[in-house]
Amino acid sequence: MNATPPLAWDEDLDCWVVADPRLARQVLHHPGFTSGTFERSFQLYMTEAAREEYRELTEFLRLWFVQTDAPEHTALRRPVQRLLSASYVRSLAPRVEEITDACLDALAAGPPYDVVPAVADGISGRVMAHVVGIAESPQTLHRWARTLSLFIGAMYRRDHAAEAHRTMEEMTEALARADAPKSFPQETPEDRARTTATWAMNLFGGLETTSSLLASTVMDALAEPAVWDAVRAQRPGAAEEFVERVLRRRPPLRHLGRVVAYDQELAGESMRAGDLVLVSLTGEALLDEPGGGACPVTGDQHLVFGFGPHYCVGAPLARLEAAVLLRRFAARFPDARLAAETPEWGPNLSYVGLDHLYVELGV
């Protein structure tokens, strides 16, 4: 059986695929690979006519700071990172618990008892609505995120572009009323556009991947009696430890994109400027050498939340939501179990997420 090469050209995807975690760290932390994958994808996968027709949409996505590199990325990221600081996330714990309890109430109002819409989407949506200061429902927020995700994954489809354009307009209108963006630059049209795009990106980032993590955490915990017993017994740290296992086992985001900045050789392969690169986040979590693979920003030994200066700014909040859910779910429904219905996975190529997860609550 042939081993997966660390770097290979995929003819079907028309891009390089980095499968080795050591090489992935190198690519994600190297100036020879830039973050502007949207711009390159617009050029490769959208016709000139479509780019012109949906110019507002493409400009909106270009302004997401995850599409920039240092020093611009550092400057744009800093105020968001301050806002989502560790102390702020800790202060959110009581509110996250209140939201979780309300969503568990909604789950108990079934049957059928489907964890995804009632709990995973509900918690992630309501938490992000609280952080951003908007009144839209979790259903609306997740519809926005899924619509943008479909377009990002298939920019060549004009129907996806049309739906994403409408979503951009709805998000822009909602964010104009939101609380959090008011403390960000608003002086010029350019400032307002950048602020709107930044908060749209924050919303997007805190919805689908977090919902995926929440549902996977419940599913995997119910499938492992020893873990479920430890969480039910409220063993200190049990929930947090298990969330980390779920993250390593099934990262909500499978890969990150990069663009080759200039002609170069890597792992014995010749790469050309402009080539797209998919960097896998699903390789082995730990490296052999002590500290050798740790993220220089956080110390994490895995790639689940990215690596280096682009490390996910919302990682502490996602971890908090998952641990709170696991503890509150076990306390509320200690005799819960997975239902006979097979869990249904979504079709998205980038995210590993459940569309439906049915449980029996044992009450």
Side-chain angles (χ1 to χ4, degrees):
M1 184 175 180
N2 294 329
T4 302
L7 174 68
W9 179 261
D10 189 297
E11 293 289 349
D12 293 328
L13 296 174
D14 199 26
C15 68
W16 294 99
V17 175
V18 178
D20 178 76
R22 291 179 178 81
L23 198 61
R25 286 165 171 79
Q26 181 178 339
V27 170
L28 292 175
H29 201 49
H30 193 288
F33 300 88
T34 68
S35 303
T37 54
F38 288 172
E39 174 62 33
R40 186 62 178 140
S41 295
F42 299 152
Q43 297 169 359
L44 291 174
Y45 304 128
M46 295 181 74
T47 65
E48 185 175 349
R51 291 199 301 272
E52 182 60 33
E53 183 176 358
Y54 296 107
R55 183 175 298 278
E56 286 182 88
L57 173 63
T58 57
E59 290 299 326
F60 170 76
L61 292 173
R62 281 190 186 98
L63 291 175
W64 288 16
F65 70 69
V66 294
Q67 293 293 301
T68 63
D69 297 298
E72 183 182 11
H73 172 82
T74 306
L76 294 171
R77 176 191 173 95
R78 188 175 295 117
V80 177
Q81 193 161 336
R82 282 199 298 266
L83 183 67
L84 295 177
S85 65
S87 60
Y88 172 71
V89 171
R90 286 194 297 270
S91 76
L92 286 178
R95 180 63 181 140
V96 173
E97 290 174 352
E98 291 175 6
I99 289 171
T100 300
D101 289 343
C103 291
L104 293 177
D105 288 342
L107 178 67
Y113 305 110
D114 188 350
V115 169
V116 175
V119 177
D121 285 358
I123 293 171
S124 55
R126 292 181 64 177
V127 168
M128 288 310 300
H130 175 77
V131 169
V132 180
I134 56 177
E136 275 66 22
S137 69
Q139 292 82 2
T140 296
L141 298 181
H142 279 281
R143 174 174 59 81
W144 289 348
R146 286 164 185 159
T147 299
L148 289 177
S149 179
L150 285 172
F151 170 68
I152 291 168
M155 292 180 178
Y156 54 86
R157 289 187 50 167
R158 294 178 71 88
D159 57 339
H160 287 349
E163 288 295 327
H165 189 270
R166 283 190 286 272
T167 290
M168 175 204 67
E169 293 176 329
E170 291 180 27
M171 293 180 83
T172 299
E173 182 180 344
L175 289 168
R177 303 188 301 268
D179 294 332
K182 293 176 182 176
S183 63
F184 279 59
Q186 301 281 351
E187 287 74 19
T188 68
E190 291 77 13
D191 286 338
R192 292 190 289 275
R194 175 69 77 179
T195 290
T196 298
T198 293
W199 281 100
M201 181 200 70
N202 290 337
L203 264 180
F204 178 83
L207 292 167
E208 293 302 281
T209 52
T210 302
S211 177
S212 171
L213 172 61
L214 298 179
S216 291
T217 297
V218 171
M219 180 181 70
D220 287 4
L222 290 176
E224 298 188 31
V227 170
W228 189 240
D229 288 345
V231 176
R232 286 192 304 181
Q234 302 294 318
R235 181 171 68 77
E240 288 78 6
E241 291 171 11
F242 188 67
V243 168
E244 291 304 306
R245 284 175 56 189
V246 174
L247 284 166
R248 288 176 165 87
R249 177 188 298 160
R250 193 179 296 109
L253 188 63
R254 294 176 179 176
H255 59 257
L256 291 175
R258 289 294 183 266
V259 179
V260 180
Y262 47 78
D263 293 356
Q264 58 184 286
E265 286 199 4
L266 182 69
E269 300 286 353
S270 297
M271 309 178 80
R272 302 295 299 273
D275 286 350
L276 286 175
V277 185
L278 286 185
V279 182
S280 174
L281 304 181
T282 61
E284 290 296 322
L286 300 176
L287 297 185
D288 296 334
E289 57 271 23
C295 176
V297 176
T298 66
D300 276 359
Q301 289 276 349
H302 57 68
L303 295 172
V304 174
F305 291 110
F307 188 76
H310 279 265
Y311 186 89
C312 176
V313 72
L317 182 56
R319 283 174 160 131
L320 172 67
E321 291 176 57
V324 166
L325 169 59
L326 192 51
R327 285 195 296 268
R328 307 299 270 203
F329 192 99
R332 176 76 177 272
F333 307 116
D335 297 319
R337 62 185 184 276
L338 294 173
E341 293 93 336
T342 302
E344 296 180 24
W345 294 92
N348 196 294
L349 295 178
S350 297
Y351 300 107
V352 180
L354 287 156
D355 280 350
H356 298 284
L357 174 65
Y358 297 102
V359 297
E360 298 295 337
L361 299 179
V363 295

